[in-house]
Amino acid sequence: MEMIKKFLYLCGMKQYIVKHSYSLFIIFCLCIMPIQAQNTKESNSDSIRLSLLTCAPGEEIYSLFGHTAIRYENFTQHIDIVFNYGMFSFNTPNFILRFTLGKTDYQLGISSYEEFAAEYNYYGRSVWQQTLNLTYKENERLINLLKDNYRPENRIYRYNFLYDNCATRPRDQIERAIEGKLIYSDDMTDTNTGKSFRDIIHQYTKGHQWARFGIDFCIGSKADEPINRRLMMFVPFYVKDFFSKAVIQDVHKIKRPLVSREEKIITQNKLRVADSDVYPTPLQTSLLLFILITAITVYGIRHKKVFWGLDLILFLSAGVAGSILTFLVMLSEHPAVSPNYLLFIFHPLHLLCLPWVIKQVKKKRRSVYLMLNSITLTLFMLLWWLIPQKIDLAILPLALCLLVRSISNLILTYKKD
């Protein structure tokens, strides 16, 4: 490291060294790696260690499921770096739109282990390390795969939350590096697991009810189909658990464990704060809204008041929510967002027909739209348990709000007739 700094200093680059010395060191080490590996293959075969890092969940919605990275240590060359497939930037142009469309790009980044550990210590997130029981050739192959992935033309990839993410990418590279066959302890293709994508999402959003509600709202019935164990590995801790029991069978049919050692290298006892400890849950909020709207509606029926302003706000909100769902179903590349049966409750027709509906309500004229909406909502709730999609219970009071307002206007116009 000092030799590199002195060389650059002599070239008049002292100021650049101060800002970028560690990055230069990483690049230098990666460049000379093949040369040194060729000359000292036998002597340093035990000096290289590659490990899978599994990080505990955080508090932000994008960190609720944890994280996976690969640590590369070369003790003779004093290299200790982390390959991280989870790099992204909120400053990317049109980030929110691209994320909604399923066109978010992530990239492979490299940092020193010291920087990596400091970040997880700062946020109070534990990290587990599984040392990979690879041969020298397998280590070399994995390093080359990671280096190839880090090339400017390869490092950016199209992120897919369920199928291609920062947990599946390290798994895939490790599997490619193995000479022979990686055998998991369970049948990874059997779908008789009793779990779906939604079940696993619920597992990791426990205590974060609003995040869970938002995800449940957006994903459709495909997320409720049974999945095999390999698909479960979209979550880092499933990769960790399956790796801990996996074995490598080499070309000579000799088996060895994939993981030679497992340890917790960063220990944090920070407790995750549940949403319910700070905010009311979605179910509590929707129930409160339903009670309030029902009370106003009863008052309105008794005093023959239509409260069209309330209908304007309610159906406008339902129409906006329906437009988001329609956008996801029709345009998004995200998997498991279509079909979504919530479109029977929230749909763009609420927006399109709103001016005509409000006009009819203000004049206390019977609205065909509200009559059809009442029938649709009634059938939806009667068939609730037959719908092949798990729907958050907080949706029920919201649907009842729309139903109560639709029926109340029909009652008022009926009495007038």
Side-chain angles (χ1 to χ4, degrees), residues 390-407:
K390 290 183 181 178
I391 298 172
D392 196 299
L393 280 177
I395 294 294
L396 182 57
L398 298 178
L400 286 171
C401 288
L402 294 170
L403 180 60
V404 165
R405 290 308 301 167
S406 297
I407 292 176

Side-chain angles (χ1 to χ4, degrees), residues 103-354:
K103 296 182 178 180
T104 310
D105 289 331
Y106 275 44
Q107 69 178 41
L108 171 62
I110 298 178
S111 65
S112 69
Y113 173 73
E114 183 180 357
E115 293 172 338
F116 183 88
E119 178 182 350
Y120 282 88
N121 268 312
Y122 177 81
Y123 288 107
R125 297 169 63 183
S126 299
V127 178
W128 288 260
Q129 176 171 286
Q130 292 173 299
T131 302
L132 300 173
N133 188 24
L134 305 179
T135 64
Y136 182 80
K137 285 186 177 179
E138 289 170 339
N139 276 329
E140 192 176 49
R141 183 179 296 177
L142 180 53
I143 294 167
N144 288 333
L145 284 169
L146 293 170
K147 286 168 58 182
D148 185 65
N149 274 192
Y150 190 64
R151 293 178 183 274
E153 65 271 22
N154 297 334
R155 69 180 60 163
I156 297 174
Y157 70 99
R158 180 56 48 85
Y159 176 83
N160 187 306
F161 174 60
L162 298 179
Y163 297 106
D164 191 0
N165 62 24
C166 56
T168 62
R169 287 248 161 179
R171 175 204 65 190
D172 293 345
Q173 301 310 318
I174 292 168
E175 289 180 343
R176 290 189 186 106
I178 290 170
E179 290 184 321
K181 183 180 181 182
L182 182 60
I183 303 173
Y184 293 98
S185 61
D186 299 296
D187 184 352
M188 305 304 285
T189 60
D190 181 17
T191 57
N192 189 26
T193 59
K195 285 188 179 291
S196 65
F197 283 126
R198 196 187 303 272
D199 292 330
I200 296 175
I201 289 169
H202 284 184
Q203 179 183 346
Y204 284 88
T205 54
K206 185 178 181 180
H208 291 76
Q209 297 295 322
W210 283 101
R212 173 174 167 172
F213 176 77
I215 297 172
D216 268 348
F217 185 83
C218 293
I219 58 178
S221 60
K222 283 187 179 179
D224 296 302
E225 297 174 357
I227 59 173
N228 60 42
R229 290 176 180 83
R230 186 167 184 81
L231 290 177
M232 292 179 190
M233 296 167 83
F234 80 96
V235 172
F237 277 88
Y238 278 93
V239 178
K240 173 181 175 293
D241 291 343
F242 288 130
F243 267 31
S244 66
K245 300 175 184 177
V247 296
I248 300 171
Q249 179 177 283
D250 64 21
V251 292
H252 303 294
K253 306 297 182 182
I254 299 173
K255 294 182 180 179
R256 66 183 188 276
L258 171 63
V259 175
S260 60
R261 183 181 179 186
E262 184 173 318
E263 57 187 320
K264 196 174 186 180
I265 55 175
I266 297 177
T267 301
Q268 295 289 345
N269 296 317
K270 183 178 179 181
L271 297 176
R272 298 176 74 186
V273 179
D275 284 349
S276 55
D277 295 337
V278 183
Y279 310 105
T281 66
L283 181 58
Q284 291 169 342
T285 304
S286 62
L287 280 172
L288 181 62
L289 180 64
F290 171 65
I291 292 169
L292 180 62
I293 286 179
T294 301
I296 294 173
T297 301
V298 171
Y299 177 86
I301 292 173
R302 288 180 177 178
H303 294 82
K304 297 183 180 180
K305 294 181 179 292
V306 293
F307 293 114
W308 63 268
L310 180 61
D311 294 325
L312 177 64
I313 295 172
L314 191 61
F315 282 91
L316 178 64
S317 301
V320 170
S323 298
I324 294 172
L325 285 182
T326 304
F327 180 83
L328 287 171
V329 168
M330 297 184 67
L331 299 176
S332 179
E333 294 180 9
H334 280 297
V337 296
S338 178
N340 192 325
Y341 288 87
L342 288 179
L343 280 169
F344 283 102
I345 301 174
F346 309 101
H347 47 77
L349 285 177
H350 290 318
L351 280 180
L352 296 175
C353 298
L354 187 59

